[in-house]
Amino acid sequence: MSIGHTLLGLLESGPRHGYDLKRAFDEKFGQDRPLHYGQVYSTMSRLLKNGLVVVDGIEAGGGPERKRYAITEAGITDVAQWLATPEKPEPYLQSTLYTKVVLALLTGRGAGEILDTQRAEHLRLMRELTRRKRDGDLADQLICDHALFHLEADLRWLELTAARLDALAEEIRR
């Protein structure tokens, strides 16, 4: 995810302080991985330097000054271009799990056990995501569905690989 573009998009509704941006980001996108304040302010500094935001005001208080940021026309254009650009699908052509299976076979260890352990972990996470989906709002349901569909694809790969372990072992030992 592009944190800079996401923060710019949040600014389109109106100027905000860094604290407000962090809170909005965490509420909408960061439930599993909230932003650190330092990440917000370093990103805002970069966006400011690149002319995508301006400081709309500074408030003095009991602590450090609070800058309020506003998006510029260049920032709005940048967000629009980012939104219109499709994300590159990221196939897992060389996954860590595949590497573990091959190394287990090469070293005479139990590749089937690795697959079984991974299957159990996938199923555990799927149960957790299903509970979260059931209790969540529509946004949470959609993000959980996305993760569940990927985990289901992984499970299909685990089953296919388990069925082909003997042939794979024979092939990689040549």
Side-chain angles (χ1 to χ4, degrees):
M1 173 189 315
S2 170
I3 293 169
H5 287 111
T6 305
L7 295 176
L8 283 172
L10 290 171
L11 282 172
E12 282 200 47
S13 65
R16 297 181 187 217
H17 297 97
Y19 173 82
D20 297 329
L21 285 167
K22 180 203 175 340
R23 192 179 70 230
F25 181 98
D26 290 352
E27 180 182 304
K28 299 289 185 201
F29 311 107
Q31 184 173 1
D32 294 318
R33 219 181 296 169
L35 283 180
H36 297 285
Y37 284 105
Q39 199 171 11
V40 172
Y41 293 111
S42 65
T43 301
M44 295 312 296
S45 177
R46 183 177 41 82
L47 295 173
L48 185 64
K49 183 178 122 197
N50 292 336
L52 302 177
V53 299
V54 294
V55 175
D56 187 54
I58 298 176
E59 297 174 10
E65 292 180 335
R66 294 182 57 193
K67 293 178 185 174
R68 188 175 56 246
Y69 299 95
I71 192 168
T72 63
E73 286 300 318
I76 291 170
T77 300
D78 197 56
V79 171
Q81 289 172 346
W82 178 68
L83 290 172
T85 304
E87 290 297 308
K88 180 183 175 196
E90 296 185 26
Y92 301 108
L93 294 179
Q94 193 62 279
S95 75
T96 304
L97 183 55
Y98 172 78
T99 302
K100 286 182 174 185
V101 168
V102 170
L103 285 176
L105 292 171
L106 286 172
T107 60
R109 292 181 172 93
E113 294 168 11
I114 291 170
L115 295 172
D116 290 343
T117 300
Q118 192 63 50
R119 183 181 306 104
E121 181 60 18
H122 271 60
L123 291 171
R124 182 201 63 75
L125 182 55
M126 289 175 83
R127 284 189 298 275
E128 182 180 311
L129 288 168
T130 301
R131 275 192 301 276
R132 178 175 161 186
K133 178 181 162 182
R134 185 183 57 238
D135 299 335
D137 60 11
L138 181 57
D140 216 29
Q141 292 169 14
L142 289 170
I143 198 69
C144 287
D145 278 339
H146 186 264
L148 285 164
F149 292 148
H150 282 272
L151 290 168
E152 287 173 7
D154 287 349
L155 282 176
R156 288 194 307 271
W157 181 85
L158 290 166
E159 295 302 322
L160 179 65
T161 303
R164 295 178 172 176
L165 270 182
D166 291 339
L168 180 61
E170 189 176 309
E171 187 174 304
I172 64 172
R173 290 182 183 148
R174 286 187 214 164

